[in-house]
Amino acid sequence: MSVKDIIQKDPDGLVARAFRFAERAHSGQRRKTSEPYMNHLTATAEKLSEWRLDDTSVAAGLLHDVLEDTSVHIDELRRSFGDEVTLLVDGVTKLGKVKYRGAKAKVENLRKMIFALSQDLRVIFIKLADRLHNMRTLGVLPPQKQKRIAEETAEVYAPIASRLGMYELAGELQDLAFPYLHPKESRWLKTQIAEEYGVRRAYLEKIWPALEQMLHGATIVPAAVDFRAKRAYSLYRKLLRFDMDINKIYDLVALRVIVDTTQDCYAALGTIHGHWPPLPGRIKDYIAMPKANNYRSLHTTVIGPEGRYVEIQLRTKEMHEENEYGIAAHWLYKAATDGQTTQPRWDQQFKNTLQWVQQLKQWQEQYRDAEINPEDFLSAMKVEFFRDRTFAITPQGDVIDLPQGSTPVDFAYHIHTDIGNACAGATVNGQFVPLNHELRSGDMVEILTQKNKKPSEDWLSFVKTALAREHIKSALRERTRTSTLRIHPSKAELKIVAQNRIGLLKDVSATITQSHVNILDAHTGSQPSGNSSMIKIHCETADRKKIEKLVLKLKKIRGVKQISYQLL
Ligand code: MN
């Protein structure tokens, strides 16, 4: 149902009220495309409705920019729409502050942070719908912004969509980003395949009536047919594997037939093969053996009329929507069986079928051993994953993954040991905080360093990570060692090995006195080797430079073989 229909059906309902509220709040605002701001909000809400999410999501989709871009305060939003809508809008607003700035190594942390910040998966759906519309209108932004947003889409949001099983969306986001990230390749692809697309599509349209006839003969009535063009970005990746030879790509345009039941899928496959011979090795039964991402469909490539290859895909409506919409499709099915369109309920048996929970679970298990055990589907919808982690961001946009309860000192050590050691202060989201301040996911943390600053012992009482603890301890040990030398030393001991001769000790003491160093005491003793002596002198100085100069002078004294010194 379109947003307009929802509003017409219930003019005082949640969606209608959200629409009017947004219209007022954004009145006079325009998008960079110069169209009214409301177009962006309607497009976002429209997508959410197309994914058949609940009215709360659609309403939040309409309101998703009021906190960020208008003077509406969160309390006003809560008074007007309640906690649930507010939680969703606030979540989307927080995600808006998370920016990908090209740290590929840490991009997985960024994806995790987005889940951790969302608290409710519907926040992510809204963000994805928002991003989709932004990508469609990306052309009007300055090139640098285009590049950044396209990169963020390709590296962060498309993978998130795909992790939620929303492959259609993931593919579309990749395609929208492709021309901005690889302009040359994308142009090349367009010119190379535009014609070929047309030719193949025309052929499929031509043979479709014959195929439909054939299915009717087997009493199968297709619910829908679709000429599905392969996505540009995935085609490009496939071409790279096939010597850029378009003739080796059989599924450039595929014939997608939707039938009523799983039996119909197999019956249709048999019927088609009876008329058009299949290509060996090209029959794929993803119904009996779904892909790892839970994609279900039958695929075959047959030799059609005029001896041309045709890829045909067969699936039920349910499989189709699941392939396209991922977890959002599950929402839709439960709601449909209950005969209601809003407030879906989730039951045990349904929960068990959910692939995406499995996926997120696996994702999370790589991460820590604890099991998530969602009590029911709704609580699974509340994103509890990563609840015990804190994801904080550097000013450069790197996401630092820390245990819950971590402080700016932990953060500093996770960036670099030197930054931890020299940490003198911190700001969180621009505000000064004490070093024992507890960080929260999404915090932007800046560490102020000071040259020659050393860690303080009381840091050990509040740091959360073993890494920080170890570095602090080792820096403290280092300091204890050097500080005994620097603060306490007042004496130096010289050990001089020299050949015995008369006047040696006098020469030595004269040299020391000339250097303005007081001698405290001196001992001599014979070296076991014979005619050498070892003179041990304690002087009243701890000035290393002074001693080193002195040593050079002493070395020039006749008979002196070896000198060492030590600060005491
Ligand atoms: Mn927006």
Side-chain angles (χ1 to χ4, degrees), residues 285-297 322-323 355:
D285 184 350
Y286 296 124
I287 294 176
M289 285 171 292
K291 284 193 190 180
N293 60 23
N294 207 32
Y295 175 88
R296 289 184 301 158
S297 187
E322 226 180 278
N323 294 343
Q355 174 70 11

Side-chain angles (χ1 to χ4, degrees), residues 525-538:
S526 290
Q527 283 283 90
S529 62
N531 64 347
S532 286
S533 288
M534 160 120 104
I535 311 163
K536 212 191 258 180
I537 301 168
H538 288 128

Side-chain angles (χ1 to χ4, degrees), residues 230-303:
K230 194 166 185 63
R231 293 209 161 276
Y233 185 67
S234 92
L235 174 61
Y236 177 69
R237 303 249 316 242
K238 195 164 185 174
L239 278 168
L240 288 175
R241 295 202 308 273
F242 288 87
D243 316 315
M244 299 318 251
D245 183 354
I246 197 86
N247 293 314
K248 290 182 184 159
I249 312 287
Y250 301 140
D251 61 347
L252 183 62
V253 186
L255 200 59
R256 187 179 274 169
V257 185
I258 316 270
V259 294
D260 287 334
T261 63
T262 307
Q263 284 94 319
D264 283 351
C265 293
Y266 288 105
L269 185 76
T271 305
I272 294 165
H273 286 172
H275 292 79
W276 296 334
L279 223 59
R282 301 277 311 179
I283 306 166
K284 311 248 171 67
D285 184 350
Y286 296 124
I287 294 176
M289 285 171 292
K291 284 193 190 180
N293 60 23
N294 207 32
Y295 175 88
R296 289 184 301 158
S297 187
L298 294 178
H299 290 192
T300 183
T301 305
V302 299
I303 303 168

Side-chain angles (χ1 to χ4, degrees), residues 323-440:
N323 294 343
E324 305 269 304
Y325 299 140
I327 72 168
H330 290 281
W331 195 303
L332 145 77
Y333 279 105
K334 188 57 192 164
T337 1
D338 282 0
Q340 52 179 358
T341 51
T342 58
Q343 298 304 321
R345 286 183 298 106
W346 317 99
D347 58 26
Q348 183 65 31
Q349 161 238 332
F350 181 58
K351 179 190 86 186
N352 293 340
T353 65
L354 288 174
Q355 174 70 11
W356 73 271
V357 175
Q358 297 303 319
Q359 279 184 349
L360 286 177
K361 217 167 154 179
Q362 277 167 12
W363 183 18
Q364 184 223 24
E365 269 164 11
Q366 298 167 353
Y367 197 74
R368 65 182 167 112
D369 295 331
E371 261 235 328
I372 51 155
N373 185 20
E375 280 307 305
D376 55 45
F377 191 84
L378 199 59
S379 87
M381 206 67 189
K382 308 285 176 209
V383 182
E384 307 247 309
F385 329 108
F386 315 122
R387 204 175 38 178
D388 57 350
R389 307 299 297 178
T390 295
F391 299 92
I393 321 167
T394 68
Q396 289 72 39
D398 283 345
V399 177
I400 309 293
D401 171 10
L402 299 162
Q404 203 181 34
S406 289
T407 65
V409 174
D410 294 289
F411 181 87
Y413 277 107
H414 277 255
I415 298 173
H416 198 279
T417 312
D418 293 343
I419 293 179
N421 283 337
C423 175
T427 65
V428 168
N429 306 322
Q431 304 286 317
F432 275 95
V433 294
L435 287 179
N436 65 357
H437 175 86
E438 189 173 313
L439 298 178
R440 304 182 61 170

